[in-house]
Amino acid sequence: MDESALRQQLAMLGASLFQRGYSVGTAGNISVRLPDGYLMTPTNSCLGRIDPARISKLGPDWSHIGGDKPSKEVFMHRAVLTARPDAGAVVHLHSTHATAIGCLAAPGETAPIPPLTPYFVMRVGRTLPVIRYYRPGDAAMEADIHAAAKDAKAVLLANHGPVVSGRTLEDAVHAAEELEEAARLALLLRGAGARELTPAQVDDLLATFG
Ligand code: 13P
C-alpha cells in the first residue's frame, strides 16, 4: 500500500475505533512504518476526525518532517517499532477494559489477561507484559517498552492503556480490538471460575495461527 493509501486507511480505522468507543476525546495514537520513515497521528487529535493530509510524517531518524506536530507518545511507538522489525504499525488506546486490567495488574506481570478465547491468543499471543506507570509522553518509558516488546506483540501500560503492534495497520487494529474484548471478558468472569484454554490448546493455536 502506498503512503497516500495508508494515510486514508489510518484515518478510516481511527474513525472506526472512535465510533465504536475504543477511544474517546483525544485519547490514543497510531503509527505506521513507511519505507522512508513513519506516519503518526498528530498530538491532541481525535482518532474520530483524522485528516489524512495533516497526519505527522517522521523521517527514518524519527525527526518531524511533515504534517502536524506528532503525538507526544513518539517514544512509545519508537520503542515497539524498533524492537519489532516485522511490525508495520502500532495502535495505542485507552480502551476501558484493557485500561482497567492495567490498573489491577502488577507491573512486571506477563499475563494479566487469561487465555479464555482463541482469538485473543491468536492476535495478541501468550504474553502481555505490564509496564510500570510513566507520565504520558515521558521518554523514560522507551527502554522498558523496547525490552518487553521484543517478545510480545502488545504491552499494557499500568494505569494508562494498551500498546499493540501488528504486521500491518489492519492487523494492529484487529489485535487491539481483540485485546479489549478479552479484557472485558476477563473482568466479566473475574472470580467466577471460568474455564481457561489449556497450555496445550494455547500451543496448538500458536503453532497453527501464530
Ligand atoms: P497525543 O494526543 O499526544 O497522541 O496523546 C494522547 C494519548 O493517548 C497519550 O497517551
Side-chain angles (χ1 to χ4, degrees):
M1 211 182 273
D2 68 14
E3 181 176 329
S4 163
L6 281 169
R7 286 173 178 268
Q8 297 288 339
Q9 190 190 39
L10 197 162
M12 186 270 285
L13 291 173
S16 168
L17 286 168
F18 182 81
Q19 281 155 12
R20 290 175 298 134
Y22 288 89
S23 153
V24 299
T26 63
N29 29 71
I30 300 175
S31 63
V32 180
R33 193 193 301 274
L34 298 173
D36 62 346
Y38 306 89
L39 293 176
M40 185 160 293
T41 48
T43 191
N44 297 323
S45 58
C46 171
L47 290 191
R49 293 187 290 277
I50 297 292
D51 177 349
R54 294 179 61 174
I55 291 172
S56 314
K57 183 158 182 186
L58 309 184
D61 63 352
W62 293 86
S63 59
H64 181 207
I65 57 173
D68 289 351
K69 186 179 174 200
S71 170
K72 69 174 76 66
E73 304 290 20
V74 60
F75 305 106
M76 172 200 292
H77 290 259
R78 184 167 75 177
V80 177
L81 287 170
T82 55
R84 302 185 71 75
D86 292 344
V90 172
V91 173
H92 165 56
L93 298 173
H94 300 169
S95 53
T96 309
H97 301 85
T99 303
I101 298 275
C103 297
L104 291 166
E109 259 188 72
T110 56
I113 298 175
L116 291 164
T117 62
Y119 268 69
F120 173 61
V121 175
M122 287 155 57
R123 299 286 183 247
V124 178
R126 208 186 295 271
T127 60
L128 177 66
V130 180
I131 308 292
R132 79 161 174 83
Y133 175 78
Y134 289 94
R135 172 177 39 77
D138 187 347
M141 75 176 81
E142 183 164 3
D144 266 5
I145 296 177
H146 186 270
K150 282 187 175 158
D151 298 318
K153 283 185 189 161
V155 302
L156 186 58
L157 307 181
N159 299 76
H160 185 167
V163 185
V164 185
S165 69
R167 199 178 48 79
T168 64
L169 175 55
E170 208 169 29
D171 287 346
V173 168
H174 290 163
E177 292 177 3
E178 288 295 342
L179 200 165
E180 174 59 12
E181 292 310 303
R184 194 149 81 105
L185 273 180
L187 290 169
L188 202 61
L189 295 169
R190 213 164 166 238
R195 182 177 49 256
E196 296 181 11
L197 298 180
T198 65
Q201 287 168 334
V202 169
D203 287 347
D204 171 58
L205 284 167
L206 292 174
T208 309
F209 302 106

